mmCIF file with all atom_site columns, all heavy atoms in Angstrom:
data_model
loop_
_atom_site.group_PDB
_atom_site.id
_atom_site.type_symbol
_atom_site.label_atom_id
_atom_site.label_alt_id
_atom_site.label_comp_id
_atom_site.label_asym_id
_atom_site.label_entity_id
_atom_site.label_seq_id
_atom_site.pdbx_PDB_ins_code
_atom_site.Cartn_x
_atom_site.Cartn_y
_atom_site.Cartn_z
_atom_site.occupancy
_atom_site.B_iso_or_equiv
_atom_site.pdbx_formal_charge
_atom_site.auth_seq_id
_atom_site.auth_comp_id
_atom_site.auth_asym_id
_atom_site.auth_atom_id
_atom_site.pdbx_PDB_model_num
ATOM 1   N N   . GLY W 1 174 ? -1.461 14.946 12.356  1.00 0.00 ? 174 GLY W N   1
ATOM 2   C CA  . GLY W 1 174 ? -2.319 15.847 11.587  1.00 0.00 ? 174 GLY W CA  1
ATOM 3   C C   . GLY W 1 174 ? -2.313 15.551 10.101  1.00 0.00 ? 174 GLY W C   1
ATOM 4   O O   . GLY W 1 174 ? -2.355 14.398 9.684   1.00 0.00 ? 174 GLY W O   1
ATOM 5   N N   . PHE W 1 175 ? -2.227 16.631 9.291   1.00 0.00 ? 175 PHE W N   1
ATOM 6   C CA  . PHE W 1 175 ? -2.166 16.472 7.835   1.00 0.00 ? 175 PHE W CA  1
ATOM 7   C C   . PHE W 1 175 ? -0.731 16.659 7.368   1.00 0.00 ? 175 PHE W C   1
ATOM 8   O O   . PHE W 1 175 ? -0.036 17.578 7.829   1.00 0.00 ? 175 PHE W O   1
ATOM 9   C CB  . PHE W 1 175 ? -3.090 17.481 7.143   1.00 0.00 ? 175 PHE W CB  1
ATOM 10  C CG  . PHE W 1 175 ? -4.542 17.080 7.226   1.00 0.00 ? 175 PHE W CG  1
ATOM 11  C CD1 . PHE W 1 175 ? -5.361 17.539 8.262   1.00 0.00 ? 175 PHE W CD1 1
ATOM 12  C CD2 . PHE W 1 175 ? -5.094 16.216 6.281   1.00 0.00 ? 175 PHE W CD2 1
ATOM 13  C CE1 . PHE W 1 175 ? -6.690 17.153 8.347   1.00 0.00 ? 175 PHE W CE1 1
ATOM 14  C CE2 . PHE W 1 175 ? -6.423 15.824 6.356   1.00 0.00 ? 175 PHE W CE2 1
ATOM 15  C CZ  . PHE W 1 175 ? -7.221 16.292 7.392   1.00 0.00 ? 175 PHE W CZ  1
ATOM 16  N N   . VAL W 1 176 ? -0.303 15.789 6.453   1.00 0.00 ? 176 VAL W N   1
ATOM 17  C CA  . VAL W 1 176 ? 1.108  15.731 6.075   1.00 0.00 ? 176 VAL W CA  1
ATOM 18  C C   . VAL W 1 176 ? 1.238  15.667 4.552   1.00 0.00 ? 176 VAL W C   1
ATOM 19  O O   . VAL W 1 176 ? 0.465  14.977 3.883   1.00 0.00 ? 176 VAL W O   1
ATOM 20  C CB  . VAL W 1 176 ? 1.771  14.461 6.691   1.00 0.00 ? 176 VAL W CB  1
ATOM 21  C CG1 . VAL W 1 176 ? 3.268  14.421 6.385   1.00 0.00 ? 176 VAL W CG1 1
ATOM 22  C CG2 . VAL W 1 176 ? 1.536  14.409 8.205   1.00 0.00 ? 176 VAL W CG2 1
ATOM 23  N N   . LYS W 1 177 ? 2.235  16.414 4.037   1.00 0.00 ? 177 LYS W N   1
ATOM 24  C CA  . LYS W 1 177 ? 2.508  16.350 2.598   1.00 0.00 ? 177 LYS W CA  1
ATOM 25  C C   . LYS W 1 177 ? 3.867  15.704 2.364   1.00 0.00 ? 177 LYS W C   1
ATOM 26  O O   . LYS W 1 177 ? 4.855  16.078 3.008   1.00 0.00 ? 177 LYS W O   1
ATOM 27  C CB  . LYS W 1 177 ? 2.499  17.768 2.007   1.00 0.00 ? 177 LYS W CB  1
ATOM 28  C CG  . LYS W 1 177 ? 2.935  17.789 0.535   1.00 0.00 ? 177 LYS W CG  1
ATOM 29  C CD  . LYS W 1 177 ? 2.462  19.021 -0.210  1.00 0.00 ? 177 LYS W CD  1
ATOM 30  C CE  . LYS W 1 177 ? 3.425  20.177 -0.031  1.00 0.00 ? 177 LYS W CE  1
ATOM 31  N NZ  . LYS W 1 177 ? 3.305  21.168 -1.126  1.00 0.00 ? 177 LYS W NZ  1
ATOM 32  N N   . TRP W 1 178 ? 3.899  14.757 1.456   1.00 0.00 ? 178 TRP W N   1
ATOM 33  C CA  . TRP W 1 178 ? 5.177  14.195 0.988   1.00 0.00 ? 178 TRP W CA  1
ATOM 34  C C   . TRP W 1 178 ? 5.519  14.930 -0.298  1.00 0.00 ? 178 TRP W C   1
ATOM 35  O O   . TRP W 1 178 ? 4.835  14.780 -1.301  1.00 0.00 ? 178 TRP W O   1
ATOM 36  C CB  . TRP W 1 178 ? 5.045  12.692 0.762   1.00 0.00 ? 178 TRP W CB  1
ATOM 37  C CG  . TRP W 1 178 ? 6.242  11.999 0.142   1.00 0.00 ? 178 TRP W CG  1
ATOM 38  C CD1 . TRP W 1 178 ? 7.495  12.508 -0.068  1.00 0.00 ? 178 TRP W CD1 1
ATOM 39  C CD2 . TRP W 1 178 ? 6.282  10.648 -0.343  1.00 0.00 ? 178 TRP W CD2 1
ATOM 40  N NE1 . TRP W 1 178 ? 8.312  11.562 -0.642  1.00 0.00 ? 178 TRP W NE1 1
ATOM 41  C CE2 . TRP W 1 178 ? 7.599  10.418 -0.834  1.00 0.00 ? 178 TRP W CE2 1
ATOM 42  C CE3 . TRP W 1 178 ? 5.337  9.615  -0.406  1.00 0.00 ? 178 TRP W CE3 1
ATOM 43  C CZ2 . TRP W 1 178 ? 7.978  9.184  -1.387  1.00 0.00 ? 178 TRP W CZ2 1
ATOM 44  C CZ3 . TRP W 1 178 ? 5.718  8.397  -0.955  1.00 0.00 ? 178 TRP W CZ3 1
ATOM 45  C CH2 . TRP W 1 178 ? 7.023  8.185  -1.430  1.00 0.00 ? 178 TRP W CH2 1
ATOM 46  N N   . ILE W 1 179 ? 6.569  15.757 -0.211  1.00 0.00 ? 179 ILE W N   1
ATOM 47  C CA  . ILE W 1 179 ? 7.035  16.505 -1.371  1.00 0.00 ? 179 ILE W CA  1
ATOM 48  C C   . ILE W 1 179 ? 7.899  15.571 -2.210  1.00 0.00 ? 179 ILE W C   1
ATOM 49  O O   . ILE W 1 179 ? 8.863  14.992 -1.698  1.00 0.00 ? 179 ILE W O   1
ATOM 50  C CB  . ILE W 1 179 ? 7.851  17.740 -0.912  1.00 0.00 ? 179 ILE W CB  1
ATOM 51  C CG1 . ILE W 1 179 ? 6.975  18.647 -0.034  1.00 0.00 ? 179 ILE W CG1 1
ATOM 52  C CG2 . ILE W 1 179 ? 8.427  18.493 -2.095  1.00 0.00 ? 179 ILE W CG2 1
ATOM 53  C CD1 . ILE W 1 179 ? 7.739  19.724 0.710   1.00 0.00 ? 179 ILE W CD1 1
ATOM 54  N N   . MET W 1 180 ? 7.545  15.407 -3.501  1.00 0.00 ? 180 MET W N   1
ATOM 55  C CA  . MET W 1 180 ? 8.251  14.411 -4.317  1.00 0.00 ? 180 MET W CA  1
ATOM 56  C C   . MET W 1 180 ? 9.735  14.724 -4.499  1.00 0.00 ? 180 MET W C   1
ATOM 57  O O   . MET W 1 180 ? 10.561 13.826 -4.530  1.00 0.00 ? 180 MET W O   1
ATOM 58  C CB  . MET W 1 180 ? 7.592  14.250 -5.691  1.00 0.00 ? 180 MET W CB  1
ATOM 59  C CG  . MET W 1 180 ? 7.618  15.489 -6.548  1.00 0.00 ? 180 MET W CG  1
ATOM 60  S SD  . MET W 1 180 ? 6.832  15.246 -8.165  1.00 0.00 ? 180 MET W SD  1
ATOM 61  C CE  . MET W 1 180 ? 8.068  14.313 -9.034  1.00 0.00 ? 180 MET W CE  1
ATOM 62  N N   . GLY W 1 181 ? 10.081 16.028 -4.561  1.00 0.00 ? 181 GLY W N   1
ATOM 63  C CA  . GLY W 1 181 ? 11.482 16.423 -4.725  1.00 0.00 ? 181 GLY W CA  1
ATOM 64  C C   . GLY W 1 181 ? 11.944 16.319 -6.173  1.00 0.00 ? 181 GLY W C   1
ATOM 65  O O   . GLY W 1 181 ? 11.243 15.752 -7.024  1.00 0.00 ? 181 GLY W O   1
ATOM 66  N N   . LYS W 1 182 ? 13.119 16.904 -6.414  1.00 0.00 ? 182 LYS W N   1
ATOM 67  C CA  . LYS W 1 182 ? 13.652 16.922 -7.788  1.00 0.00 ? 182 LYS W CA  1
ATOM 68  C C   . LYS W 1 182 ? 14.989 16.195 -7.896  1.00 0.00 ? 182 LYS W C   1
ATOM 69  O O   . LYS W 1 182 ? 15.376 15.738 -8.948  1.00 0.00 ? 182 LYS W O   1
ATOM 70  C CB  . LYS W 1 182 ? 13.898 18.376 -8.230  1.00 0.00 ? 182 LYS W CB  1
ATOM 71  C CG  . LYS W 1 182 ? 12.630 19.194 -8.452  1.00 0.00 ? 182 LYS W CG  1
ATOM 72  C CD  . LYS W 1 182 ? 12.919 20.399 -9.329  1.00 0.00 ? 182 LYS W CD  1
ATOM 73  C CE  . LYS W 1 182 ? 12.901 21.753 -8.677  1.00 0.00 ? 182 LYS W CE  1
ATOM 74  N NZ  . LYS W 1 182 ? 12.095 22.147 -7.591  1.00 0.00 ? 182 LYS W NZ  1
ATOM 75  N N   . GLU W 1 183 ? 15.711 16.142 -6.770  1.00 0.00 ? 183 GLU W N   1
ATOM 76  C CA  . GLU W 1 183 ? 17.092 15.618 -6.809  1.00 0.00 ? 183 GLU W CA  1
ATOM 77  C C   . GLU W 1 183 ? 17.129 14.120 -7.124  1.00 0.00 ? 183 GLU W C   1
ATOM 78  O O   . GLU W 1 183 ? 16.268 13.369 -6.663  1.00 0.00 ? 183 GLU W O   1
ATOM 79  C CB  . GLU W 1 183 ? 17.773 15.840 -5.448  1.00 0.00 ? 183 GLU W CB  1
ATOM 80  C CG  . GLU W 1 183 ? 17.880 17.283 -5.003  1.00 0.00 ? 183 GLU W CG  1
ATOM 81  C CD  . GLU W 1 183 ? 18.765 18.124 -5.912  1.00 0.00 ? 183 GLU W CD  1
ATOM 82  O OE1 . GLU W 1 183 ? 19.664 17.542 -6.560  1.00 0.00 ? 183 GLU W OE1 1
ATOM 83  O OE2 . GLU W 1 183 ? 18.551 19.341 -5.981  1.00 0.00 ? 183 GLU W OE2 1
ATOM 84  N N   . ASP W 1 184 ? 18.147 13.699 -7.857  1.00 0.00 ? 184 ASP W N   1
ATOM 85  C CA  . ASP W 1 184 ? 18.324 12.284 -8.168  1.00 0.00 ? 184 ASP W CA  1
ATOM 86  C C   . ASP W 1 184 ? 18.703 11.472 -6.931  1.00 0.00 ? 184 ASP W C   1
ATOM 87  O O   . ASP W 1 184 ? 18.408 10.286 -6.845  1.00 0.00 ? 184 ASP W O   1
ATOM 88  C CB  . ASP W 1 184 ? 19.419 12.091 -9.238  1.00 0.00 ? 184 ASP W CB  1
ATOM 89  C CG  . ASP W 1 184 ? 18.924 12.498 -10.606 1.00 0.00 ? 184 ASP W CG  1
ATOM 90  O OD1 . ASP W 1 184 ? 17.683 12.591 -10.786 1.00 0.00 ? 184 ASP W OD1 1
ATOM 91  O OD2 . ASP W 1 184 ? 19.766 12.743 -11.503 1.00 0.00 ? 184 ASP W OD2 1
ATOM 92  N N   . ASN W 1 185 ? 19.352 12.118 -5.952  1.00 0.00 ? 185 ASN W N   1
ATOM 93  C CA  . ASN W 1 185 ? 19.762 11.362 -4.756  1.00 0.00 ? 185 ASN W CA  1
ATOM 94  C C   . ASN W 1 185 ? 18.664 11.304 -3.689  1.00 0.00 ? 185 ASN W C   1
ATOM 95  O O   . ASN W 1 185 ? 18.854 10.736 -2.623  1.00 0.00 ? 185 ASN W O   1
ATOM 96  C CB  . ASN W 1 185 ? 21.049 11.943 -4.163  1.00 0.00 ? 185 ASN W CB  1
ATOM 97  C CG  . ASN W 1 185 ? 20.832 13.336 -3.578  1.00 0.00 ? 185 ASN W CG  1
ATOM 98  O OD1 . ASN W 1 185 ? 19.697 13.821 -3.470  1.00 0.00 ? 185 ASN W OD1 1
ATOM 99  N ND2 . ASN W 1 185 ? 21.927 13.994 -3.194  1.00 0.00 ? 185 ASN W ND2 1
ATOM 100 N N   . GLY W 1 186 ? 17.514 11.922 -3.951  1.00 0.00 ? 186 GLY W N   1
ATOM 101 C CA  . GLY W 1 186 ? 16.368 11.811 -3.046  1.00 0.00 ? 186 GLY W CA  1
ATOM 102 C C   . GLY W 1 186 ? 16.422 12.729 -1.834  1.00 0.00 ? 186 GLY W C   1
ATOM 103 O O   . GLY W 1 186 ? 15.517 12.697 -0.993  1.00 0.00 ? 186 GLY W O   1
ATOM 104 N N   . SER W 1 187 ? 17.445 13.575 -1.727  1.00 0.00 ? 187 SER W N   1
ATOM 105 C CA  . SER W 1 187 ? 17.615 14.364 -0.503  1.00 0.00 ? 187 SER W CA  1
ATOM 106 C C   . SER W 1 187 ? 16.455 15.338 -0.263  1.00 0.00 ? 187 SER W C   1
ATOM 107 O O   . SER W 1 187 ? 16.199 15.725 0.877   1.00 0.00 ? 187 SER W O   1
ATOM 108 C CB  . SER W 1 187 ? 18.938 15.127 -0.553  1.00 0.00 ? 187 SER W CB  1
ATOM 109 O OG  . SER W 1 187 ? 18.956 15.954 -1.700  1.00 0.00 ? 187 SER W OG  1
ATOM 110 N N   . ASP W 1 188 ? 15.727 15.733 -1.328  1.00 0.00 ? 188 ASP W N   1
ATOM 111 C CA  . ASP W 1 188 ? 14.612 16.671 -1.138  1.00 0.00 ? 188 ASP W CA  1
ATOM 112 C C   . ASP W 1 188 ? 13.246 15.983 -1.267  1.00 0.00 ? 188 ASP W C   1
ATOM 113 O O   . ASP W 1 188 ? 12.215 16.643 -1.395  1.00 0.00 ? 188 ASP W O   1
ATOM 114 C CB  . ASP W 1 188 ? 14.718 17.839 -2.128  1.00 0.00 ? 188 ASP W CB  1
ATOM 115 C CG  . ASP W 1 188 ? 14.739 17.381 -3.579  1.00 0.00 ? 188 ASP W CG  1
ATOM 116 O OD1 . ASP W 1 188 ? 14.855 16.146 -3.814  1.00 0.00 ? 188 ASP W OD1 1
ATOM 117 O OD2 . ASP W 1 188 ? 14.633 18.226 -4.476  1.00 0.00 ? 188 ASP W OD2 1
ATOM 118 N N   . SER W 1 189 ? 13.225 14.647 -1.193  1.00 0.00 ? 189 SER W N   1
ATOM 119 C CA  . SER W 1 189 ? 11.952 13.925 -1.239  1.00 0.00 ? 189 SER W CA  1
ATOM 120 C C   . SER W 1 189 ? 11.600 13.557 0.192   1.00 0.00 ? 189 SER W C   1
ATOM 121 O O   . SER W 1 189 ? 12.042 12.536 0.717   1.00 0.00 ? 189 SER W O   1
ATOM 122 C CB  . SER W 1 189 ? 12.088 12.667 -2.107  1.00 0.00 ? 189 SER W CB  1
ATOM 123 O OG  . SER W 1 189 ? 10.833 12.045 -2.232  1.00 0.00 ? 189 SER W OG  1
ATOM 124 N N   . LEU W 1 190 ? 10.816 14.426 0.854   1.00 0.00 ? 190 LEU W N   1
ATOM 125 C CA  . LEU W 1 190 ? 10.568 14.241 2.278   1.00 0.00 ? 190 LEU W CA  1
ATOM 126 C C   . LEU W 1 190 ? 9.201  14.780 2.681   1.00 0.00 ? 190 LEU W C   1
ATOM 127 O O   . LEU W 1 190 ? 8.511  15.444 1.889   1.00 0.00 ? 190 LEU W O   1
ATOM 128 C CB  . LEU W 1 190 ? 11.670 14.923 3.100   1.00 0.00 ? 190 LEU W CB  1
ATOM 129 C CG  . LEU W 1 190 ? 12.212 16.270 2.617   1.00 0.00 ? 190 LEU W CG  1
ATOM 130 C CD1 . LEU W 1 190 ? 11.241 17.387 2.924   1.00 0.00 ? 190 LEU W CD1 1
ATOM 131 C CD2 . LEU W 1 190 ? 13.549 16.551 3.254   1.00 0.00 ? 190 LEU W CD2 1
ATOM 132 N N   . ALA W 1 191 ? 8.817  14.459 3.921   1.00 0.00 ? 191 ALA W N   1
ATOM 133 C CA  . ALA W 1 191 ? 7.493  14.859 4.401   1.00 0.00 ? 191 ALA W CA  1
ATOM 134 C C   . ALA W 1 191 ? 7.562  16.137 5.225   1.00 0.00 ? 191 ALA W C   1
ATOM 135 O O   . ALA W 1 191 ? 8.566  16.392 5.910   1.00 0.00 ? 191 ALA W O   1
ATOM 136 C CB  . ALA W 1 191 ? 6.905  13.731 5.247   1.00 0.00 ? 191 ALA W CB  1
ATOM 137 N N   . VAL W 1 192 ? 6.515  16.950 5.113   1.00 0.00 ? 192 VAL W N   1
ATOM 138 C CA  . VAL W 1 192 ? 6.369  18.144 5.952   1.00 0.00 ? 192 VAL W CA  1
ATOM 139 C C   . VAL W 1 192 ? 4.961  18.137 6.547   1.00 0.00 ? 192 VAL W C   1
ATOM 140 O O   . VAL W 1 192 ? 4.031  17.612 5.934   1.00 0.00 ? 192 VAL W O   1
ATOM 141 C CB  . VAL W 1 192 ? 6.588  19.465 5.160   1.00 0.00 ? 192 VAL W CB  1
ATOM 142 C CG1 . VAL W 1 192 ? 8.026  19.596 4.667   1.00 0.00 ? 192 VAL W CG1 1
ATOM 143 C CG2 . VAL W 1 192 ? 5.612  19.577 3.991   1.00 0.00 ? 192 VAL W CG2 1
ATOM 144 N N   . GLN W 1 193 ? 4.829  18.713 7.733   1.00 0.00 ? 193 GLN W N   1
ATOM 145 C CA  . GLN W 1 193 ? 3.495  18.783 8.340   1.00 0.00 ? 193 GLN W CA  1
ATOM 146 C C   . GLN W 1 193 ? 2.745  19.974 7.759   1.00 0.00 ? 193 GLN W C   1
ATOM 147 O O   . GLN W 1 193 ? 3.283  21.077 7.673   1.00 0.00 ? 193 GLN W O   1
ATOM 148 C CB  . GLN W 1 193 ? 3.624  18.925 9.853   1.00 0.00 ? 193 GLN W CB  1
ATOM 149 C CG  . GLN W 1 193 ? 2.267  18.865 10.549  1.00 0.00 ? 193 GLN W CG  1
ATOM 150 C CD  . GLN W 1 193 ? 2.387  18.926 12.056  1.00 0.00 ? 193 GLN W CD  1
ATOM 151 O OE1 . GLN W 1 193 ? 3.001  19.831 12.606  1.00 0.00 ? 193 GLN W OE1 1
ATOM 152 N NE2 . GLN W 1 193 ? 1.794  17.955 12.730  1.00 0.00 ? 193 GLN W NE2 1
ATOM 153 N N   . LEU W 1 194 ? 1.487  19.758 7.336   1.00 0.00 ? 194 LEU W N   1
ATOM 154 C CA  . LEU W 1 194 ? 0.662  20.877 6.856   1.00 0.00 ? 194 LEU W CA  1
ATOM 155 C C   . LEU W 1 194 ? -0.040 21.541 8.025   1.00 0.00 ? 194 LEU W C   1
ATOM 156 O O   . LEU W 1 194 ? -0.028 22.766 8.152   1.00 0.00 ? 194 LEU W O   1
ATOM 157 C CB  . LEU W 1 194 ? -0.363 20.376 5.830   1.00 0.00 ? 194 LEU W CB  1
ATOM 158 C CG  . LEU W 1 194 ? 0.208  19.829 4.513   1.00 0.00 ? 194 LEU W CG  1
ATOM 159 C CD1 . LEU W 1 194 ? -0.912 19.265 3.644   1.00 0.00 ? 194 LEU W CD1 1
ATOM 160 C CD2 . LEU W 1 194 ? 0.974  20.922 3.762   1.00 0.00 ? 194 LEU W CD2 1
ATOM 161 N N   . THR W 1 195 ? -0.692 20.716 8.877   1.00 0.00 ? 195 THR W N   1
ATOM 162 C CA  . THR W 1 195 ? -1.334 21.245 10.093  1.00 0.00 ? 195 THR W CA  1
ATOM 163 C C   . THR W 1 195 ? -1.257 20.138 11.132  1.00 0.00 ? 195 THR W C   1
ATOM 164 O O   . THR W 1 195 ? -1.195 18.961 10.771  1.00 0.00 ? 195 THR W O   1
ATOM 165 C CB  . THR W 1 195 ? -2.837 21.553 9.873   1.00 0.00 ? 195 THR W CB  1
ATOM 166 O OG1 . THR W 1 195 ? -3.522 20.315 9.644   1.00 0.00 ? 195 THR W OG1 1
ATOM 167 C CG2 . THR W 1 195 ? -3.081 22.495 8.722   1.00 0.00 ? 195 THR W CG2 1
ATOM 168 N N   . ASP W 1 196 ? -1.264 20.501 12.386  1.00 0.00 ? 196 ASP W N   1
ATOM 169 C CA  . ASP W 1 196 ? -1.239 19.445 13.404  1.00 0.00 ? 196 ASP W CA  1
ATOM 170 C C   . ASP W 1 196 ? -2.659 18.895 13.607  1.00 0.00 ? 196 ASP W C   1
ATOM 171 O O   . ASP W 1 196 ? -3.620 19.367 13.007  1.00 0.00 ? 196 ASP W O   1
ATOM 172 C CB  . ASP W 1 196 ? -0.578 19.920 14.700  1.00 0.00 ? 196 ASP W CB  1
ATOM 173 C CG  . ASP W 1 196 ? -1.431 20.933 15.458  1.00 0.00 ? 196 ASP W CG  1
ATOM 174 O OD1 . ASP W 1 196 ? -2.621 21.082 15.133  1.00 0.00 ? 196 ASP W OD1 1
ATOM 175 O OD2 . ASP W 1 196 ? -0.902 21.590 16.372  1.00 0.00 ? 196 ASP W OD2 1
ATOM 176 N N   . GLU W 1 197 ? -2.762 17.889 14.478  1.00 0.00 ? 197 GLU W N   1
ATOM 177 C CA  . GLU W 1 197 ? -4.021 17.157 14.620  1.00 0.00 ? 197 GLU W CA  1
ATOM 178 C C   . GLU W 1 197 ? -5.120 17.987 15.286  1.00 0.00 ? 197 GLU W C   1
ATOM 179 O O   . GLU W 1 197 ? -6.289 17.643 15.218  1.00 0.00 ? 197 GLU W O   1
ATOM 180 C CB  . GLU W 1 197 ? -3.785 15.836 15.372  1.00 0.00 ? 197 GLU W CB  1
ATOM 181 C CG  . GLU W 1 197 ? -3.250 15.950 16.793  1.00 0.00 ? 197 GLU W CG  1
ATOM 182 C CD  . GLU W 1 197 ? -1.735 16.183 16.878  1.00 0.00 ? 197 GLU W CD  1
ATOM 183 O OE1 . GLU W 1 197 ? -1.095 16.537 15.859  1.00 0.00 ? 197 GLU W OE1 1
ATOM 184 O OE2 . GLU W 1 197 ? -1.203 16.035 17.984  1.00 0.00 ? 197 GLU W OE2 1
ATOM 185 N N   . LYS W 1 198 ? -4.722 19.111 15.935  1.00 0.00 ? 198 LYS W N   1
ATOM 186 C CA  . LYS W 1 198 ? -5.742 19.925 16.607  1.00 0.00 ? 198 LYS W CA  1
ATOM 187 C C   . LYS W 1 198 ? -6.445 20.872 15.641  1.00 0.00 ? 198 LYS W C   1
ATOM 188 O O   . LYS W 1 198 ? -7.543 21.345 15.915  1.00 0.00 ? 198 LYS W O   1
ATOM 189 C CB  . LYS W 1 198 ? -5.108 20.726 17.753  1.00 0.00 ? 198 LYS W CB  1
ATOM 190 C CG  . LYS W 1 198 ? -4.776 19.846 18.937  1.00 0.00 ? 198 LYS W CG  1
ATOM 191 C CD  . LYS W 1 198 ? -4.077 20.650 20.025  1.00 0.00 ? 198 LYS W CD  1
ATOM 192 C CE  . LYS W 1 198 ? -2.845 19.935 20.511  1.00 0.00 ? 198 LYS W CE  1
ATOM 193 N NZ  . LYS W 1 198 ? -1.576 20.361 19.965  1.00 0.00 ? 198 LYS W NZ  1
ATOM 194 N N   . HIS W 1 199 ? -5.817 21.147 14.508  1.00 0.00 ? 199 HIS W N   1
ATOM 195 C CA  . HIS W 1 199 ? -6.344 22.120 13.551  1.00 0.00 ? 199 HIS W CA  1
ATOM 196 C C   . HIS W 1 199 ? -7.762 21.775 13.079  1.00 0.00 ? 199 HIS W C   1
ATOM 197 O O   . HIS W 1 199 ? -8.604 22.657 12.925  1.00 0.00 ? 199 HIS W O   1
ATOM 198 C CB  . HIS W 1 199 ? -5.397 22.212 12.355  1.00 0.00 ? 199 HIS W CB  1
ATOM 199 C CG  . HIS W 1 199 ? -5.964 22.955 11.190  1.00 0.00 ? 199 HIS W CG  1
ATOM 200 N ND1 . HIS W 1 199 ? -6.100 24.322 11.192  1.00 0.00 ? 199 HIS W ND1 1
ATOM 201 C CD2 . HIS W 1 199 ? -6.455 22.522 9.992   1.00 0.00 ? 199 HIS W CD2 1
ATOM 202 C CE1 . HIS W 1 199 ? -6.633 24.701 10.035  1.00 0.00 ? 199 HIS W CE1 1
ATOM 203 N NE2 . HIS W 1 199 ? -6.856 23.631 9.299   1.00 0.00 ? 199 HIS W NE2 1
#
Side-chain angles (χ1 to χ4, degrees):
F175 283 93
V176 184
K177 173 159 86 157
W178 174 10
I179 301 168
M180 63 180 284
K182 290 200 251 328
E183 300 296 334
D184 286 342
N185 68 8
S187 58
D188 58 350
S189 185
L190 39 76
V192 294
Q193 186 177 54
L194 295 175
T195 66
D196 70 13
E197 61 280 15
K198 286 177 228 99
H199 168 74

